[in-house]
Coordinates of all heavy atoms in Angstrom, one line a residue:
E1 N -11.1 2.7 21.4 CA -9.9 2.4 20.6 C -9.7 3.3 19.4 O -10.6 3.4 18.6 CB -9.8 0.9 20.2 CG -8.5 0.6 19.4 CD -8.5 -0.8 18.9 OE1 -9.1 -1.1 17.8 OE2 -8.0 -1.7 19.6
F2 N -8.5 4.0 19.4 CA -8.1 4.7 18.2 C -7.2 3.8 17.4 O -6.4 3.0 18.0 CB -7.5 6.0 18.6 CG -8.4 7.1 18.9 CD1 -9.0 7.1 20.2 CD2 -8.8 8.1 18.0 CE1 -9.9 8.1 20.5 CE2 -9.7 9.1 18.4 CZ -10.3 9.1 19.6
R3 N -7.2 3.9 16.1 CA -6.4 3.0 15.3 C -5.8 3.6 14.0 O -6.4 4.6 13.5 CB -7.4 1.8 14.9 CG -6.8 0.7 14.0 CD -7.9 -0.2 13.6 NE -7.5 -1.3 12.7 CZ -7.0 -2.5 13.1 NH1 -6.9 -2.8 14.4 NH2 -6.7 -3.4 12.2
A4 N -4.7 3.2 13.6 CA -4.0 3.6 12.4 C -3.4 2.4 11.7 O -2.9 1.5 12.4 CB -3.0 4.7 12.6
V5 N -3.4 2.4 10.4 CA -2.7 1.3 9.6 C -1.8 1.9 8.6 O -2.2 2.9 7.9 CB -3.8 0.4 9.0 CG1 -3.1 -0.7 8.2 CG2 -4.7 -0.2 10.0
G6 N -0.6 1.4 8.5 CA 0.3 1.8 7.5 C 0.9 0.6 6.7 O 1.0 -0.5 7.3
R7 N 1.2 0.8 5.5 CA 1.7 -0.3 4.7 C 2.9 0.2 3.9 O 2.9 1.2 3.2 CB 0.6 -0.9 3.8 CG 1.1 -2.0 2.9 CD 0.0 -2.5 2.0 NE -1.1 -3.2 2.7 CZ -2.0 -3.9 2.1 NH1 -2.1 -3.9 0.8 NH2 -2.9 -4.5 2.9
I8 N 4.0 -0.6 4.0 CA 5.2 -0.3 3.2 C 5.5 -1.4 2.2 O 5.8 -2.5 2.6 CB 6.5 -0.1 4.1 CG1 6.2 1.0 5.1 CG2 7.7 0.2 3.3 CD1 7.3 1.2 6.2
P9 N 5.5 -1.1 0.9 CA 5.8 -2.2 -0.1 C 7.2 -2.6 0.0 O 8.1 -1.8 0.1 CB 5.5 -1.5 -1.4 CG 4.6 -0.3 -1.1 CD 5.1 0.1 0.3
L10 N 7.5 -3.9 0.1 CA 8.8 -4.4 0.1 C 9.2 -4.9 -1.3 O 10.3 -4.8 -1.7 CB 8.9 -5.6 1.1 CG 8.5 -5.2 2.5 CD1 8.6 -6.5 3.4 CD2 9.5 -4.2 3.1
R11 N 8.2 -5.5 -2.0 CA 8.4 -6.0 -3.4 C 7.1 -5.9 -4.1 O 6.1 -6.5 -3.8 CB 8.9 -7.5 -3.3 CG 9.3 -8.0 -4.7 CD 9.6 -9.5 -4.6 NE 10.2 -10.0 -5.8 CZ 10.5 -11.3 -6.0 NH1 10.3 -12.2 -5.0 NH2 11.0 -11.7 -7.2
L12 N 7.1 -5.1 -5.2 CA 5.8 -4.9 -5.9 C 5.3 -6.2 -6.6 O 4.1 -6.4 -6.6 CB 6.0 -3.8 -7.0 CG 6.0 -2.4 -6.5 CD1 6.2 -1.5 -7.7 CD2 4.6 -2.1 -5.9
G13 N 6.2 -7.0 -7.0 CA 5.8 -8.3 -7.6 C 4.8 -8.1 -8.8 O 5.0 -7.2 -9.6
W14 N 3.6 -8.8 -8.7 CA 2.6 -8.7 -9.8 C 2.0 -7.3 -9.9 O 1.5 -6.9 -10.9 CB 1.6 -9.7 -9.6 CG 0.8 -9.6 -8.3 CD1 1.0 -10.3 -7.1 CD2 -0.4 -8.9 -8.1 NE1 0.1 -9.9 -6.2 CE2 -0.8 -9.1 -6.8 CE3 -1.2 -8.0 -8.9 CZ2 -1.9 -8.5 -6.2 CZ3 -2.3 -7.4 -8.4 CH2 -2.7 -7.6 -7.1
K15 N 2.0 -6.5 -8.8 CA 1.4 -5.2 -8.9 C 2.1 -4.2 -9.8 O 1.6 -3.3 -10.3 CB 1.3 -4.6 -7.5 CG 0.3 -5.2 -6.6 CD -0.2 -4.3 -5.5 CE -1.3 -5.0 -4.7 NZ -2.0 -4.1 -3.8
A16 N 3.4 -4.6 -10.1 CA 4.1 -3.7 -11.1 C 3.5 -3.8 -12.5 O 3.6 -2.9 -13.3 CB 5.6 -4.2 -11.1
V17 N 2.8 -4.9 -12.7 CA 2.2 -5.1 -14.0 C 1.1 -4.1 -14.3 O 0.9 -3.6 -15.4 CB 1.6 -6.5 -14.2 CG1 0.8 -6.7 -15.5 CG2 2.7 -7.6 -14.0
Y18 N 0.4 -3.7 -13.2 CA -0.7 -2.8 -13.3 C -0.4 -1.3 -13.0 O -1.1 -0.4 -13.2 CB -1.9 -3.2 -12.3 CG -2.5 -4.5 -12.7 CD1 -2.1 -5.7 -12.1 CD2 -3.5 -4.6 -13.6 CE1 -2.7 -6.9 -12.4 CE2 -4.1 -5.7 -14.0 CZ -3.7 -6.9 -13.4 OH -4.3 -8.1 -13.7
Q19 N 0.8 -1.1 -12.5 CA 1.2 0.2 -12.0 C 1.2 1.2 -13.1 O 0.9 2.4 -13.0 CB 2.6 0.1 -11.3 CG 2.8 1.2 -10.3 CD 4.1 1.0 -9.5 OE1 5.1 0.6 -10.1 NE2 4.1 1.3 -8.3
A20 N 1.6 0.8 -14.3 CA 1.7 1.7 -15.5 C 0.4 2.3 -15.9 O 0.3 3.4 -16.3 CB 2.4 1.0 -16.6
I21 N -0.7 1.5 -15.7 CA -2.0 2.0 -16.2 C -2.8 2.7 -15.1 O -3.7 3.5 -15.3 CB -2.8 0.9 -16.8 CG1 -3.0 -0.3 -15.9 CG2 -2.2 0.4 -18.1 CD1 -4.0 -1.3 -16.3
D22 N -2.5 2.3 -13.8 CA -3.3 2.9 -12.7 C -2.5 2.7 -11.5 O -2.6 1.6 -10.8 CB -4.7 2.2 -12.6 CG -5.6 2.9 -11.6 OD1 -5.1 3.8 -10.9 OD2 -6.7 2.6 -11.5
S23 N -1.8 3.7 -11.1 CA -0.9 3.6 -9.9 C -1.7 3.3 -8.6 O -1.2 2.8 -7.6 CB -0.1 4.8 -9.7 OG -0.9 6.0 -9.6
N24 N -3.0 3.6 -8.6 CA -3.8 3.4 -7.4 C -4.8 2.2 -7.5 O -5.5 1.9 -6.6 CB -4.7 4.7 -7.1 CG -3.8 5.9 -6.8 OD1 -2.8 5.8 -6.1 ND2 -4.2 7.0 -7.4
A25 N -4.7 1.5 -8.6 CA -5.7 0.5 -8.9 C -5.6 -0.7 -7.9 O -6.6 -1.3 -7.5 CB -5.6 -0.1 -10.3
E26 N -4.4 -1.0 -7.5 CA -4.2 -2.2 -6.7 C -3.7 -1.9 -5.3 O -3.2 -2.8 -4.6 CB -3.3 -3.2 -7.4 CG -3.8 -3.6 -8.8 CD -5.1 -4.4 -8.8 OE1 -5.3 -5.0 -7.8 OE2 -5.8 -4.4 -9.8
T27 N -3.6 -0.7 -4.9 CA -3.0 -0.4 -3.6 C -4.1 0.3 -2.7 O -5.0 1.0 -3.2 CB -1.8 0.5 -3.8 OG1 -2.2 1.7 -4.4 CG2 -0.8 -0.2 -4.6
E28 N -3.9 0.2 -1.4 CA -4.7 0.9 -0.5 C -4.2 2.3 -0.2 O -3.0 2.6 -0.1 CB -4.8 0.1 0.8 CG -5.4 -1.3 0.6 CD -5.5 -2.0 2.0 OE1 -5.4 -1.4 3.0 OE2 -5.7 -3.2 1.9
A29 N -5.1 3.2 0.1 CA -4.8 4.6 0.4 C -4.4 4.6 1.9 O -5.3 4.8 2.8 CB -5.9 5.5 0.1
E30 N -3.2 4.3 2.3 CA -2.8 4.2 3.7 C -1.7 5.2 3.9 O -0.8 5.4 3.1 CB -2.4 2.8 4.1 CG -3.5 1.8 4.0 CD -3.0 0.4 4.4 OE1 -1.9 0.1 4.2 OE2 -3.9 -0.4 4.8
Q31 N -1.7 5.9 5.1 CA -0.7 6.9 5.4 C 0.7 6.3 5.7 O 0.8 5.1 6.1 CB -1.2 7.7 6.6 CG -1.4 6.9 7.9 CD -1.9 7.8 9.0 OE1 -1.4 8.9 9.2 NE2 -2.9 7.3 9.7
T32 N 1.7 7.1 5.5 CA 3.0 6.7 5.9 C 3.2 7.0 7.4 O 3.0 8.1 7.8 CB 4.1 7.5 5.1 OG1 3.9 7.2 3.7 CG2 5.5 7.1 5.5
L33 N 3.7 6.0 8.1 CA 3.8 6.1 9.6 C 5.3 6.4 9.9 O 6.2 5.9 9.2 CB 3.3 4.9 10.3 CG 1.9 4.5 10.1 CD1 1.6 3.2 10.8 CD2 0.9 5.6 10.6
P34 N 5.5 7.2 11.0 CA 6.9 7.3 11.5 C 7.4 6.0 12.1 O 6.6 5.1 12.3 CB 6.8 8.5 12.5 CG 5.4 8.4 13.0 CD 4.6 7.9 11.8
S35 N 8.6 6.0 12.4 CA 9.2 4.8 13.1 C 8.5 4.7 14.5 O 8.5 5.6 15.3 CB 10.7 4.9 13.3 OG 11.2 3.9 14.0
L36 N 8.0 3.5 14.8 CA 7.2 3.3 16.0 C 7.7 2.0 16.7 O 8.1 1.1 16.0 CB 5.7 3.2 15.7 CG 5.0 4.4 15.1 CD1 3.6 4.1 14.6 CD2 5.0 5.6 16.1

């Protein structure tokens, strides 16, 4: 099995609180996927 995972934020919610100090602190490093 080959596998890929993508995540698209719909609403930052509480993560917006941390975004100003560390844009990567609370998010996963996932690639942007084309329409599938």
